[in-house]
Amino acid sequence: MLRWIIFIIVYIVMGLYTLQALKTVTRYPWVYYLFITIAVLVLGNFIYQFTAGEEEGRVLSRSKSYAFGLLLTVLAFQLVTILFLFSEDIFRVISSGYQKFFGQSKEFTLPERRKFLSILGLGLAAIPFGALLYGMYKGKYNFKVLKYNLEYDDLPDAFDGYQITQISDVHSGSFDNRKKIEYAVDLINKQKSDVILFTGDMVNNMATEMEPWSDLFTTLDAKDGKFSVLGNHDYGDYVDWETEEAKSQNLEDLKNLQRNMGFDLLLNENRFLQKGDDKIALVGVENWGRGGFKKAGDLKKAAANVGKDDFKILMSHDPSHWEDVVLHDEYHYHLTLSGHTHGMQFGIEIPGWIKWSPVKWRYKYWAGIYKELGQYINVNRGFGFLGYPGRVGIWPEITVITLKKKA
């Protein structure tokens, strides 16, 4: 309760501060009332969704997700505006103090706010405000196909030109637009890859979240099949289950659902993709994550009966596994496919110029292709979304990787 009170007080103070900028810019009362109404409704909805409106057994329902997204949008607007007002207020206080002690004025009076700075602050605040709204309305379904060619000296000859489509982090419990998902599934099939690999987090929490979408994902097709591994959300660890049996049953239901959709689920296992006399090993581990995330992945077990000299592709949900374990393993894993980070669903990307997201402060390898010690990893930005119900700058991704024999 104390945290709620502190949060509400801070939110109100920020709102009142932002209101000062609006009063400096315009004298129309309806603008003030509109801002106050929006701020109060957003706060009220957020409090309701996370207290009285909480749904049993779910950590972050769709309604709670949107309540959080709208609150984040208003807070971003307020924070940017306050940065300008606060910097101006520091100058106003210093200026008034100087006039009182060293000037001719005997009273401490603050000069009026400068309209220009308030307009500038509100204008800049409108950028993240509009971007976050766009991210919830359009950005979360702005699917991008990213294509890479990776060259290897030791790629088996028959696999020269072999094409892989990777998807990750579906988070089906967040979906709210069937036509957009139909479009994305069709976009995956249009790549006509040899194999489809899914690298974890099919759901947010519960297997039932995937049931309305399973018929669509069943239509995913590749001539060498489709394979999957589990992500941290697939285990149901973020739900307050009534019994351990219920939690275990949920995981079994999800495993069976994936298999019924045609996925070959690799649980610390491997398969060989064969072309004539040539083969490559496909290794799949359960989730292994740093910093409190589940460490069910067993690389040694997963690579049992795989030769040291075999060409190896590893599916591991969390890229920290690659950094902490895979890179230094006695086996050379030519390509690792991960997801998990979502690119934080927020950032700036201009190909060839800039790639930035706050998530880089937590994950060294957070989006795209990286190469270390002669081994590659692709960190997929994710197919779906979680928490904030949108994406800004970091768009949902379908990765297409073509393996090439180095000349």
Side-chain angles (χ1 to χ4, degrees):
M1 178 59 74
L2 180 61
R3 285 182 297 176
W4 279 111
I5 293 173
I6 294 173
F7 172 73
I8 292 170
I9 291 173
V10 171
Y11 184 86
I12 291 172
V13 170
M14 290 175 62
L16 292 174
Y17 217 141
T18 305
L19 193 59
Q20 300 307 309
L22 291 171
K23 288 184 175 180
T24 302
V25 170
T26 179
R27 300 301 178 191
Y28 294 106
W30 69 266
V31 177
Y32 319 148
Y33 297 139
L34 178 62
F35 170 76
I36 293 170
T37 300
I38 292 173
V40 169
L41 288 176
V42 167
L43 177 62
N45 181 51
F46 179 79
I47 293 173
Y48 171 76
Q49 295 296 342
F50 281 81
T51 54
E54 185 161 355
E55 297 181 42
E56 186 178 352
R58 300 189 67 178
V59 172
L60 198 62
S61 65
R62 199 173 297 162
S63 55
K64 289 167 69 176
S65 184
Y66 275 97
F68 170 72
L70 290 171
L71 182 76
L72 189 65
T73 301
V74 172
L75 285 174
F77 180 81
Q78 292 179 343
L79 280 170
V80 175
T81 305
I82 287 170
L83 284 174
F84 276 83
L85 292 188
F86 187 67
S87 60
E88 184 186 15
D89 284 347
I90 292 175
F91 176 80
R92 291 166 71 207
V93 170
I94 293 174
S95 175
S96 297
Y98 180 84
Q99 290 297 323
K100 176 176 174 57
F101 293 105
F102 301 103
Q104 296 179 350
S105 175
K106 295 183 179 181
E107 295 183 2
F108 185 83
T109 56
L110 291 174
E112 291 187 2
R113 295 185 184 279
R114 285 177 287 183
K115 188 174 181 179
F116 169 74
L117 282 179
S118 293
I119 292 174
L120 183 61
L122 289 170
L124 290 176
I127 296 174
F129 179 81
L132 288 168
L133 287 178
Y134 173 84
M136 289 190 284
Y137 177 61
K138 286 264 191 182
K140 61 187 176 184
Y141 295 129
N142 186 22
F143 294 98
K144 300 295 183 185
V145 177
L146 301 184
K147 298 186 177 184
Y148 305 99
N149 293 326
L150 299 182
E151 293 187 337
Y152 297 92
D153 290 315
D154 55 348
L155 179 69
D157 292 338
F159 286 88
D160 186 19
Y162 194 77
Q163 186 169 292
I164 300 164
T165 288
Q166 180 200 3
I167 55 173
S168 191
D169 300 89
V170 165
H171 289 289
S172 54
S174 300
F175 292 158
D176 55 11
N177 189 319
R178 189 171 182 85
K179 287 190 177 298
K180 295 295 185 182
I181 304 305
E182 287 175 353
Y183 164 77
V185 169
D186 183 56
L187 189 59
I188 294 170
N189 283 332
K190 282 183 177 178
Q191 306 312 309
K192 298 187 182 302
S193 290
D194 296 289
V195 67
I196 294 174
L197 305 180
F198 170 67
T199 48
D201 277 1
M202 186 72 77
V203 297
N204 296 345
N205 299 296
M206 296 179 172
T208 53
E209 297 167 6
M210 190 61 195
E211 290 175 358
W213 313 96
S214 62
D215 60 325
L216 291 179
F217 284 82
T218 300
T219 65
L220 289 175
D221 184 59
K223 62 182 179 181
D224 288 345
K226 49 191 182 185
F227 300 83
S228 63
V229 293
L230 296 176
N232 56 298
H233 279 267
D234 294 324
Y235 296 90
D237 287 342
Y238 311 118
V239 175
D240 186 16
W241 299 96
E242 292 184 2
T243 64
E244 278 298 315
E245 290 75 15
K247 180 181 178 181
S248 297
Q249 186 59 53
N250 175 73
L251 181 56
E252 288 305 311
D253 290 344
L254 181 60
K255 291 176 182 178
N256 290 330
L257 185 59
Q258 290 202 30
R259 291 166 181 144
N260 291 337
M261 288 189 291
F263 285 95
D264 186 351
L265 179 60
L266 303 182
L267 301 169
N268 293 324
E269 300 172 273
N270 63 75
R271 305 284 187 268
F272 282 95
L273 302 173
Q274 197 88 27
K275 281 185 174 296
D277 294 331
D278 289 338
K279 65 181 180 179
I280 59 177
L282 181 62
V283 181
V285 296
E286 293 196 51
N287 190 77
W288 191 103
R290 182 200 303 149
F293 288 107
K294 181 182 287 292
K295 287 182 170 62
D298 187 332
L299 189 59
K300 298 298 182 187
K301 180 181 177 183
N305 83 300
V306 173
K308 192 170 185 179
D309 295 328
D310 286 331
F311 190 94
K312 293 175 283 294
I313 297 175
L314 174 66
M315 300 167 66
S316 181
H317 177 68
D318 191 319
S320 63
H321 187 218
W322 188 69
E323 182 180 358
D324 293 354
V325 178
V326 179
L327 274 175
H328 311 289
D329 191 80
E330 61 179 328
Y331 274 18
H332 180 92
Y333 287 89
H334 298 75
L335 172 62
T336 297
L337 301 176
S338 298
H340 182 62
T341 71
H342 299 204
M344 203 174 168
Q345 298 168 209
F346 175 83
I348 302 171
E349 283 198 86
I350 303 174
W353 289 85
I354 185 172
K355 183 176 76 174
W356 178 88
S357 168
V359 78
K360 68 178 293 184
W361 296 324
R362 171 153 187 164
Y363 292 98
K364 181 178 180 180
Y365 309 102
W366 60 272
I369 296 284
Y370 301 89
K371 185 179 182 181
E372 298 283 354
L373 304 177
Q375 303 173 72
Y376 287 100
I377 186 174
N378 180 62
V379 184
N380 186 283
R381 294 159 180 81
F383 184 92
F385 49 92
L386 181 70
Y388 164 62
R391 284 178 175 266
V392 178
I394 306 293
W395 311 119
E397 175 181 345
I398 298 163
T399 312
V400 177
I401 297 174
T402 303
L403 306 180
K404 294 284 190 180
K405 180 85 171 183
K406 188 174 289 187

